């Protein structure tokens, strides 16, 4: 039986491979025309928002999902049995979107904490949805059992090099659109986005992983020297609720010198409210997590530092914004 810790990591040699900028560039060519080139907004002098919440399916996740499935097809991996994914919500919505676009069946496993907005979005895209278990790791165990039964293609939420390379296209776009920044702040759960961006901007910008205090996957991995299980709770748990950072993501992020800062649920909630109040930007808690690091002082830019904040997801109930 696969334990929770093992279930958090990818399977096989490819999952242990590193990801380079070249991989992200190839991913950009592969998925070009299927994704949106999301805009960059200058919120204030030296502060840029990468508006990834405007992406298809409401989050960056569609980038990695497209790259995973299209790369698998190029390698001759079968997709006729459909795709299976475990998700806190956003990844599942992205995989369902990709499956519909590519004409394959999607089966998505989500934990019970997944918001109704995301479950409704999955079903609207035609995915078969199974809610099971308390946290993402439980859904992942169930999804892998289903893969073994059906022969469907697994599309891991964050710990596969093709997924990571796809997410890294956010960083490539950011560099092209801005002419370069000093630092990129990225909300982090399983680590796919932050490691992909770190690979894409290597040598050109620093990357900081921003994590909820109640889900410190990368922070604890850095302290331990390897991914470890952490408790999962708090307002961003349905998006950033990986029990354990991905193995591949950890190696890439550590190699690229990614730093970690932690923010409270209260800081995330205030940042989300500020984004709505001051900019009329409606994002979910995970989408506001990177911005929270600036607002609460967990990350303090140097004088003249040019900082980009990735606003990564908008799958939220707008009635919760005042």
């Amino acid at each position: 039986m696969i334990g929770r810790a093992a279930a958090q990591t990818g399977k096989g040699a490819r999952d242990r491979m590193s990801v380079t900028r070249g991989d992200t560039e190839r991913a950009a060519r592969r998925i070009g025309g299927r994704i949106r080139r999301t805009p960059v907004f200058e919120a204030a002098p030296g502060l840029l928002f990468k508006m990834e919440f405007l992406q298809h399916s409401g989050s960056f996740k569609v980038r990695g999902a497209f790259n995973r499935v299209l790369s698998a097809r190029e390698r001759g991996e079968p997709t006729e049995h459909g795709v299976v994914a475990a998700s806190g919500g956003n990844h599942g919505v992205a995989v369902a979107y990709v499956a519909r676009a590519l004409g394959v069946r999607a089966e998505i496993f989500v934990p019970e904490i997944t918001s109704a907005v995301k479950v409704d979005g999955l079903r609207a895209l035609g995915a078969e949805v199974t809610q099971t278990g308390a946290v993402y790791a439980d859904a992942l165990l169930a999804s892998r059992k289903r893969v073994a039964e059906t022969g469907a293609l697994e599309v891991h939420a964050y710990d596969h090099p093709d997924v990571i390379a796809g997410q890294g296209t956010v960083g490539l776009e950011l560099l092209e659109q801005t002419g370069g920044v000093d630092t990129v702040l990225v909300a982090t759960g399983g680590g796919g986005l932050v490691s992909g961006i770190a690979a894409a901007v290597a040598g050109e910008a620093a990357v900081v992983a921003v994590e909820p205090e109640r889900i410190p996957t990368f922070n604890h991995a850095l302290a331990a020297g390897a991914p470890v299980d952490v408790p999962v709770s708090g307002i961003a748990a349905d998006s950033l609720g990986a029990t354990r950072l991905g193995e591949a993501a950890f190696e890439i992020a550590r190699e690229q010198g990614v730093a970690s800062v932690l923010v409270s649920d209260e800081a995330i909630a205030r940042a989300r409210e500020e984004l709505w109040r001051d900019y009329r930007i409606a994002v979910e808690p995970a989408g506001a997590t990177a911005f929270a690091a600036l607002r609460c002082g967990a990350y303090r830019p140097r004088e003249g530092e040019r900082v980009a904040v990735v606003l990564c997801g908008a799958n939220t109930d707008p009635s919760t914004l005042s």
Side-chain angles (χ1 to χ4, degrees):
M1 180 177 178
I2 301 173
R4 279 193 181 184
Q8 290 294 313
T9 63
K11 300 184 294 181
R14 282 193 57 77
D15 298 292
R16 295 189 294 273
M17 289 172 60
S18 187
V19 172
T20 66
R21 177 166 179 153
D23 293 320
T24 66
E25 291 170 342
R26 283 185 287 276
R29 291 192 292 272
R30 184 177 293 116
I31 67 179
R34 296 184 182 275
I35 62 166
R36 291 175 178 153
R37 185 179 173 89
T38 56
V40 171
F41 167 61
E42 186 171 6
L47 174 60
L48 303 167
F49 290 157
K50 177 58 170 165
M51 313 281 271
E52 193 59 17
F53 65 93
L54 296 174
Q55 188 55 259
H56 293 302
S57 80
S59 83
F60 68 94
K61 292 281 191 176
V62 73
R63 296 173 182 265
F66 262 127
N67 197 50
R68 168 68 173 121
V69 179
L70 293 172
S71 295
R73 285 185 168 180
E74 289 175 7
R75 292 190 296 269
E77 295 180 43
T79 59
E80 63 267 22
H81 299 298
V83 295
V84 170
S87 171
N90 283 344
H91 176 64
V93 174
V95 172
Y97 177 90
V98 168
R100 188 175 70 172
L102 298 179
V104 298
R105 177 175 172 272
E107 191 170 356
I108 310 298
F109 291 76
V110 297
E112 293 164 0
I113 60 171
T114 300
S115 69
V117 169
K118 293 176 183 178
V119 172
D120 290 346
L122 285 166
R123 291 185 172 133
L125 287 166
E128 182 178 337
V129 183
T130 299
Q131 277 193 275
T132 181
V135 294
Y136 167 77
D138 299 322
L140 183 56
L141 284 170
S143 75
R144 287 193 162 159
K145 181 179 178 182
R146 188 64 172 157
V147 167
E149 292 169 349
T150 64
L153 180 75
E154 181 186 27
V155 184
H156 196 282
Y158 51 84
D159 203 29
H160 191 284
D162 291 336
V163 172
I164 292 170
Q167 318 304 30
T169 61
V170 174
L172 292 180
E173 282 185 13
L174 180 63
L175 292 179
E176 292 167 1
Q177 291 167 308
T178 62
V181 296
D182 297 307
T183 306
V184 187
L185 302 184
V186 187
T188 300
L193 179 62
V194 72
S195 59
I197 289 177
V201 306
E204 298 192 49
V207 177
V208 177
V210 184
E211 304 167 84
E213 291 175 348
R214 297 169 73 176
I215 325 174
T217 55
F218 184 53
N219 187 275
H220 283 201
L222 284 175
V228 294
D229 286 350
V230 302
V232 173
S233 63
I235 63 173
D238 68 338
S239 294
L240 303 179
T243 307
R244 185 184 183 93
L245 194 83
E247 298 282 350
F250 176 69
E251 292 302 329
I252 296 162
R254 182 170 62 172
E255 179 183 340
Q256 298 301 335
V258 174
S260 167
V261 299
L262 301 178
V263 294
S264 68
D265 275 9
E266 292 74 19
I268 294 170
R270 288 195 300 270
R272 182 171 178 259
E273 291 164 2
E274 183 175 334
L275 285 167
W276 175 246
R277 184 187 67 240
D278 293 352
Y279 305 103
R280 283 299 182 256
I281 291 174
V283 294
E284 61 192 282
T289 295
F291 184 53
L294 288 176
R295 306 319 299 155
C296 74
Y299 184 80
R300 298 181 183 276
R302 306 179 306 276
E303 184 176 353
E305 184 177 351
R306 207 160 179 239
V307 177
V309 176
V310 180
L311 303 180
C312 58
N315 290 312
T316 189
D317 181 352
S319 70
T320 61
L321 293 163
S322 58

